[in-house]
DNA sequence: TTGTATGCGTTATCAA
DNA sequence: TTGATAACGCATACAA
């Protein structure tokens, strides 16, 4: 019921030893007599003592703290990402400081500053733009930056990049719609147009243009399910479009559900829909969304490797492979290769 | 590009002032000459200096750190909870340390210990059992505990309890199924049987027994979508059961989707399904799950109030009201009150 | 193996 | 307003 935190001095007093003895008892690989250790442990247990990691970190060169900055945490794929990553961190004895930029997407510099104030060893960016100033700030304090799915033109300081192969994924999506016989397609993304998602869209568009397929671009709102709904309403109000690529599963799910349940369209017979991510719920029997998978476990393990590596490890750039997951939102059979023009 | 973090002494040297002057510049409400402040700020900017919150907290009595321990973070309701809560914390200048007990549900004491090592001001428990030892440990260090949806028999130390009214919710679900004319029902929960979820089930059962409706209890596996799938397969293999209550939306969604898309049953015509939480995806047009809502915003604001309150505030116990959200997974029309016996 | 003394970066107290 | 100095809780070099 004490008001203050218990300190090593308190324990030392109760155990009848010096502060150093207590410190050594809780320091990995320090030499302390078994008998002393036992006395200390007993007193510590009694008082509810825990080492003050703030003080310890003050003294050491490196902390156990990893900063994680994200947004849109209830997005099905992001939440799976956060789940996997935080679990992995915990298993590796690392602590995670989570900053959610929900209402302040552009507040990222402020977020990084806060994290630096806690002397995190590494900052993982799941979301938000990455201006140069950010990298400079991190570099000036010797903090590593891990960028997830936010490709960077140039690389200042200690930054590890981990990204799914957006270009390959976008192309994969395009070719799949082509194979389904789509002849009038659309791509939908948010208006924020993050570089990774932009790359997905651009690769998709490139392939389509190469095949002379007319393509509409829908780029409004935030990166959410609601954006998918709006897109479907706008895009499918009148017949014509027979294939849609959502740069995110969440968006694609919004498109597909709205087509099916609000517009009374058949997916995939009237319109094929394909997403990107392979979020867990895309596999639910209520959805069965065909999508481009970016392996979550590869992404997590690559991230963890970057975090746990030596502080002076060279910058790394890791590409996560991408693959088509065939489900039921894209027509499977290819019409006998006529160019059956959708009006 | 410096290797070490920049300290106040560094800034003082460059600015040609004392450490104290630097400290005062970054301390709320300290008196420092505008001219001095300007010099300090300039030097700080130049060097990329950030206050070391570790050191500051070491010196102060209270930190900005809030510990959040959870599990199953990709659960649609939990992730919404985490999203809302972390956003609110960030907006209030509080830092959040997130511990994910994914692989080690029973590791909660260890988690709390880690959090105490960082001298968090408050620990919020979203998941996990709450043994007495836990509360004693927190109490011994003067750390507040905020318990979300984990009712407690007795209250040791500084703990705030925030919970949805499980009993009312369970009863609401039962009465809704009764109104739909269900005459042979089941309730499905995980085998972990957390007290909050158990309370939902028990209230449901109580009402059903009161109306002499036969009731099956399915209690296996973890608290996931897959458990819902298994339950549907087990419960609906042969006809009979015409109403199912999933103690969690995620479970209910598993039940409903499996009934519809794997078992070829009509929900709600063959079987009514009702959930608990009102997760965002329950409202998706692909689901339209009737459910019991526990208001996320009430829950978040109550939690925030508990966190931001004075350190010596008395323990609070807050009940979040609960309400029925009518959608399309429960039959709407009531048969003309015969006791139409399901097999 | 143990205790003493020093430093980590900060804030608060005190005298100037 | 400013600078020197003493904590804060810990780890460690050093001496015993």
């Amino acid at each position: 019921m004490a008001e203050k935190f218990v300190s090593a001095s308190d324990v030392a007093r109760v155990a009848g030893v010096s502060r150093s003895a207590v410190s050594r008892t809780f320091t990995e690989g320090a030499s302390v007599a078994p008998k002393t250790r036992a006395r200390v442990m007993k007193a510590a247990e009694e008082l509810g003592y825990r080492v003050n990691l703030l003080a310890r970190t003050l003294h050491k060169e490196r902390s156990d703290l990893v900063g994680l900055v994200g947004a849109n945490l209830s997005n099905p794929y992001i939440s799976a990402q956060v789940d996997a990553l935080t679990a992995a961190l915990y298993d590796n004895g690392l602590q995670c400081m989570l900053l959610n930029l929900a209402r302040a997407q552009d507040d990222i510099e402020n977020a990084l500053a806060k994290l630096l104030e806690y002397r995190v060893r590494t900052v993982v960016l799941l979301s938000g733009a990455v201006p140069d100033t950010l990298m400079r700030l991190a570099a000036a304090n010797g903090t590593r930056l891990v960028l997830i799915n936010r490709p960077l033109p140039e690389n200042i300081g200690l930054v590890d990049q981990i990204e799914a192969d957006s270009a390959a994924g976008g192309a994969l999506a395009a070719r799949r719609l082509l194979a389904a016989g789509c002849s009038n397609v659309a791509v939908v993304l948010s208006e924020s147009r993050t570089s990774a998602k932009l790359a997905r869209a651009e690769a998709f568009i490139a392939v389509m243009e190469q095949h002379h397929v007319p393509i509409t671009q829908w780029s409004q709102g935030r990166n959410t399910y609601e954006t998918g709904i709006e897109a479907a309403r706008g895009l499918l109000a009148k017949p014509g479009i027979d294939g849609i690529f959502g740069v995110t599963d969440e968006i694609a799910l919004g498109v597909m559900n709205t087509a099916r349940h609000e517009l009374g369209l058949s997916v995939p017979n009237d319109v094929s829909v394909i997403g990107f991510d392979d979020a867990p719920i895309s596999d639910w029997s209520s959805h069965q969304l065909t999508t481009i998978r970016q392996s979550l476990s590869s992404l997590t393990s690559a991230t963890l490797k970057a975090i746990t590596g030596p502080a002076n490890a060279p910058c790394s750039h890791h590409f996560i492979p991408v693959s088509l997951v065939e489900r039921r939102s894209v027509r499977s059979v290819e019409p006998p290769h006529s160019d059956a023009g959708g009006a």
Side-chain angles (χ1 to χ4, degrees), chain A residues 158-211:
Chain A
L158 294 165
V159 355
D160 297 295
Q161 297 192 56
I162 295 166
E163 52 175 321
D165 194 333
S166 308
L172 223 45
R175 280 196 292 271
R176 184 60 189 85
L177 291 189
L178 251 17
C182 295
S183 59
N184 186 1
V185 303
V187 54
V188 7
L189 60 165
S190 71
E191 69 187 357
S192 72
R193 307 174 121 260
T194 325
S195 50
K197 278 154 205 145
L198 196 57
R200 299 173 189 177
E202 278 169 352
F204 179 86
I205 292 171
V207 171
M208 284 301 176
E209 283 182 342
Q210 193 180 323
H211 286 76

Side-chain angles (χ1 to χ4, degrees), chain A residues 3 16 72 76 97 124 138 142 167 170 225 257 275 299-300 303 331 334 338:
Chain A
E3 274 303 305
N72 202 6
M97 204 147 165
V124 179
Y225 181 78
N257 285 344
L299 203 143
T300 305
T303 306
R331 232 184 341 210
E334 171 185 5
S338 74

